[in-house]
Amino acid sequence: MFYNKKIETMAREDLKKLQAERLRKTVERVYNNVPLYRERFDKYGIKPEHIKTVDDLKNLPFTYKTDLRDTYPYGLFAAPMQEVVRIHASSGTTGKQTVVGYTKNDIDVWAECVARAMVSVGGSSEDIVHISYGYGLFTGGLGLHDGATKLGAAVVPVSTGNTARQINIFKDFGSTILCCTPSYAMYLAEAVKESGISPDELKLRIGIFGAEPWTEEMRQEIEKGLGIKAYDIYGLSEVCGPGVACNCYMQNGLHVQEDHFIPEIIDPDTGEVLPEGESGELVFTCITKEALPLIRYRTRDISSLIYEPCECGRTTVRMTKPCGRTDDMLIIRGVNVFPSQVESVLLNIEGVSPHYHITVDRVNNLDTMEVQVEMSPSLFSDSVKVIQEKEKTIKQALLSTLNISVGVKLVSPKTISRSEGKANRVTDNRKDR
Ligand code: DLL
């Protein structure tokens, strides 16, 4: 099933023509309306008329998060404020927040992207869509909300928090689609189990999870725990919010809404576009946005692109599950480590739960990393010797995947804090020095 079959299954040559036409208009728009772009293009000797095809994209300079911060709050807006109908912001852990704006048309396009995503995972107007992403400046809540409304589904705008109430709503309202972060889905699954409810008693059938990296192993845990099919939705506020890309029911890569966003994969160090299929930093160019059309925006997310046709019939390129961000990568004694690698290892070991936390420190000029992971209740009731053996097994498994020796501490069930939004899985004490 498709929400917009014509676009989603368009022949790639036609799609490229459409992208080129929209790219040209967007470049003209930013050149004429955004001083930063005009100055930057002038510096590189680029005039809008030089951009004729999608291949010319690689000649354009990148846009960075710092550009949004430097022009805070509205300096990159390419539409007058009277046309702007919505403002969101991403909190960011350091410095100023990033402010993004939408015209009425931008909101419509965004809602369509989310509606397409919902249909591609099997949703329809008959669904009851339970939204537990945060509402507010974060794009998760309202983004999924507008998309589900456009689809004609019944929206339950629960937002985050009050886990017991969420479960009552599942039961009483008959929610069929759950939208939240994967870490909150994990938490909800645990709470459902504890309340003595079997997933069969609930009507939930689909989960649309994103806003943070999560592994295939985590997907399986959530699917088991809630008795649903779990799908990955990707997006970032700067580009529009959730719905830039989403799994289809094949669960093999995320279809990018390419008629609105052109993806590229680059080498994060050199900025060169990488050959098809290689993994690198994802860069997006918005080609239909009016208020904030960013050109070659450096997402910092690591992924690769799959151009082979998908069995679902969509012709759009798929991005692989983002495994993390270049700025989340830990460098431990010279070795690159992604938290998602740790997650994959842990979830393949019996007796541990999917709740973990990584602490990085520097002791006597040497980096140290300790992984705390909760034991399952049955391991917890085992002897100290069995637990110590398990710690050794995990340490060994981490060594063989990460190529560095890290500390492992098995902790009692329920000692690692649960997250209702994006999980914070790493404490890097080296940053405070
Ligand atoms: O997280 C938008 C969103 C809301 C996406 C709800 C999906 C669902 P920001 O707060 O601006 O926007 O954060 C964007 O989150 O650059 C990625 O690093 C990360 N991210 C988003 N989706 C995924 C995903 C929203 N499916 C940043 N897998 C992005 C991995 C993701 N990382």
Side-chain angles (χ1 to χ4, degrees):
M1 289 288 280
F2 302 95
Y3 182 81
N4 185 339
K5 188 167 184 197
K6 180 166 173 257
I7 290 285
E8 293 175 78
T9 62
M10 196 175 228
R12 289 208 62 83
E13 315 84 79
D14 295 338
L15 181 62
K16 269 198 135 181
K17 273 189 218 145
L18 180 69
Q19 286 179 321
E21 193 186 302
R22 292 178 167 181
L23 174 65
R24 283 195 296 268
K25 279 199 190 130
T26 302
V27 170
E28 227 173 81
R29 183 178 187 91
V30 297
Y31 190 79
N32 293 331
N33 295 296
V34 184
L36 179 138
Y37 277 121
R38 177 182 282 264
E39 279 160 32
R40 201 165 283 174
F41 289 4
D42 283 348
K43 191 171 135 202
Y44 286 86
I46 297 163
K47 293 271 175 256
E49 53 273 24
H50 296 161
I51 304 303
K52 296 195 171 67
T53 68
V54 173
D55 295 335
D56 296 326
L57 192 56
K58 61 179 181 306
N59 303 324
L60 292 171
F62 293 115
T63 310
Y64 300 86
K65 196 174 188 95
T66 47
D67 293 324
L68 283 150
R69 297 225 168 107
D70 294 346
T71 55
Y72 176 86
Y74 306 136
L76 293 189
F77 282 18
M81 204 40 103
Q82 81 251 28
E83 287 175 22
V84 172
V85 300
R86 177 87 67 77
I87 290 169
H88 280 280
S90 75
S91 51
T93 41
T94 50
K96 282 179 197 151
Q97 51 187 352
T98 308
V99 178
V100 299
Y102 305 77
T103 63
K104 176 136 199 346
N105 191 53
D106 292 338
I107 294 282
D108 284 348
V109 166
W110 182 16
E112 168 155 349
C113 289
V114 175
R116 288 184 198 172
M118 287 187 169
V119 173
S120 73
V121 299
S124 77
S125 58
E126 287 174 22
D127 276 295
I128 298 179
V129 182
H130 181 117
I131 302 178
S132 311
Y133 284 113
Y135 279 67
L137 289 179
F138 174 54
T139 52
L142 281 170
L144 270 296
H145 183 110
D146 288 346
T149 304
K150 187 152 197 125
L151 181 60
V155 182
V156 190
V158 197
S159 197
T160 51
N162 201 339
T163 302
R165 182 164 159 259
Q166 303 259 359
I167 294 171
N168 284 336
I169 293 176
F170 287 159
K171 269 195 315 200
D172 298 349
F173 295 15
S175 316
T176 56
I177 299 185
L178 168 65
C179 307
C180 63
T181 59
S183 42
Y184 195 40
M186 209 51 252
Y187 183 7
L188 284 165
E190 189 179 35
V192 164
K193 191 168 174 198
E194 275 165 12
S195 62
I197 300 170
S198 144
D200 306 339
E201 294 170 48
L202 301 176
K203 296 220 170 86
L204 283 179
R205 59 188 195 95
I206 290 173
I208 304 181
F209 306 130
E212 61 182 3
W214 54 307
T215 56
E216 282 302 327
E217 289 81 2
M218 187 66 92
R219 185 206 296 275
Q220 284 161 24
E221 287 286 326
I222 297 173
E223 290 191 335
K224 257 193 289 167
L226 287 172
I228 58 172
K229 280 274 172 206
Y231 299 98
D232 199 356
I233 188 164
Y234 169 87
L236 60 164
S237 341
E238 300 92 311
V239 172
C240 94
V244 172
C246 187
N247 273 155
C248 62
Y249 59 88
M250 300 297 299
Q251 292 181 314
N252 180 14
L254 293 82
H255 288 274
V256 177
Q257 304 300 349
E258 272 185 289
D259 54 323
H260 299 297
F261 317 106
I262 306 181
E264 296 172 278
I265 295 287
I266 62 155
D267 176 327
D269 298 323
T270 64
E272 287 302 310
V273 176
L274 292 174
E276 228 176 273
E278 278 191 27
S279 173
E281 181 180 342
L282 197 49
V283 168
F284 279 107
T285 298
C286 305
I287 50 172
T288 50
K289 290 268 294 285
E290 294 174 344
L292 188 64
L294 297 182
I295 306 287
R296 302 194 86 199
Y297 184 69
R298 301 277 300 251
T299 66
R300 303 261 164 217
D301 292 318
I302 298 161
S303 177
S304 59
L305 296 174
I306 314 169
Y307 284 90
E308 282 107 64
C310 180
E311 276 180 50
C312 75
R314 285 174 185 76
T315 48
T316 42
V317 68
R318 282 167 290 159
M319 54 180 267
T320 54
K321 206 168 179 35
C323 66
R325 299 170 55 80
T326 52
D327 38 10
D328 281 349
M329 185 179 77
L330 298 163
I331 304 180
I332 311 289
R333 304 194 289 274
V335 176
N336 300 344
V337 174
F338 282 104
S340 57
Q341 291 175 291
V342 174
E343 182 173 301
S344 281
V345 170
L346 295 177
L347 296 193
N348 275 311
I349 294 175
E350 217 169 299
V352 300
S353 81
H355 304 287
Y356 65 96
H357 191 82
I358 300 168
T359 306
V360 181
D361 218 321
R362 184 163 291 143
V363 180
N364 296 331
N365 288 321
L366 196 68
D367 297 328
T368 61
M369 176 170 145
E370 183 182 81
V371 179
Q372 289 198 344
V373 56
E374 283 181 14
M375 291 176 258
S376 65
S378 66
L379 178 63
F380 183 54
S381 57
D382 252 318
S383 69
V384 174
K385 190 157 172 276
V386 173
I387 294 173
Q388 281 171 345
E389 279 304 314
K390 185 63 80 178
E391 274 178 354
K392 264 197 219 152
T393 310
I394 301 172
K395 213 169 143 65
Q396 192 53 44
L398 285 168
L399 173 67
S400 70
T401 300
L402 308 177
N403 285 321
I404 47 159
S405 170
V406 302
V408 172
K409 192 168 173 200
L410 280 167
V411 297
S412 334
K414 294 287 176 55
T415 39
I416 291 174
S417 66
R418 306 291 189 255
S419 163
E420 293 172 352
K422 298 189 190 226
N424 176 12
R425 300 203 191 277
V426 181
T427 305
D428 191 343
N429 293 321
R430 299 172 304 180
K431 286 185 180 154
D432 302 332
R433 301 200 171 152

